[in-house]
Every structure is written in C-alpha cells, then in structure tokens.
Amino acid sequence: MEEKLKGGECANRSTHNLLALKWRDKKDVWMLSTSHSDDFVETKKINYQTGEPKRKPKCVANYNALMGAVDKIDMILSSLHCVRKSTKWYKKYFFHLLDLAIYNAYIFYKDANEKL
C-alpha cells in the first residue's frame, strides 16, 4: 500500500479477520483492525469545495469517538508516574506498565465498592 493517495481516498487490504487500511486526510492515517470492515461513514462536516458531507472510514470514526479514555488515562498517569531519571528504556517501560496496572486495580476496586 505504498501508492500516493489524494485527500479522502482510501487503500486497504484484508483477510478474513484483519483489516489494514491507509486513508488520506491531511496526512496518511494507518489503521489495523480486527473488528471493522472498509465501510465509510458520513461526518457532520461539509467539504467547502464540493458542498458534500465529508466521509471517513468507520474504524477511524470509532477510534476518534473512543480515544478520550486514552487521553484521560495519560493525563492521570502523568501526575502519578513513578519513573525517575532512568536512562534505560526498559526500566521506563516497566514502570509505565506498573503505573497502568495500579491505576486499573484502583478502577476495579472503586467499581466493586460502588456496587456494595
């Protein structure tokens, strides 16, 4: 999928359970998905040149709708991170995974105690 795409064009390859998609918006967007097809959805935005509604792949629309949780977790972990001035990448990666595990355990604990 190394072909040059114009704005709004899409190139994809798929097997029976995996979709590889390259879509051109302002830049190239690459997506791998096991739960989407190559369908397009219309957005609320209008193309000012043609007057038609803008369309984007369904997997990109779903990602944009749900990425707020990732941003929220990154925001919370940025204030809680336990990584000090370690220069080894694997130590930083380990402590990041430890922070994620601790935060997930807190979420499960809070959810379990709300139901009591």
Side-chain angles (χ1 to χ4, degrees), residues 25-84:
D25 190 23
K26 292 179 183 174
K27 295 182 178 181
D28 287 339
V29 177
W30 294 81
M31 299 289 284
L32 284 176
S33 177
T34 58
S35 62
H36 292 94
S37 62
D38 59 351
D39 297 334
F40 275 75
V41 294
E42 290 186 357
T43 63
K44 296 177 182 176
K45 296 182 180 180
I46 303 292
N47 187 338
Y48 70 93
Q49 293 174 338
T50 63
E52 298 175 358
K54 288 188 176 182
R55 297 169 36 113
K56 62 174 63 172
K58 193 171 185 177
C59 60
V60 173
N62 284 349
Y63 174 78
N64 289 340
L66 300 174
M67 76 176 195
V70 173
D71 293 336
K72 184 176 178 183
I73 290 172
D74 286 341
M75 180 184 68
I76 291 169
L77 290 181
S78 69
S79 64
L80 300 175
H81 70 284
C82 60
V83 175
R84 299 293 180 239

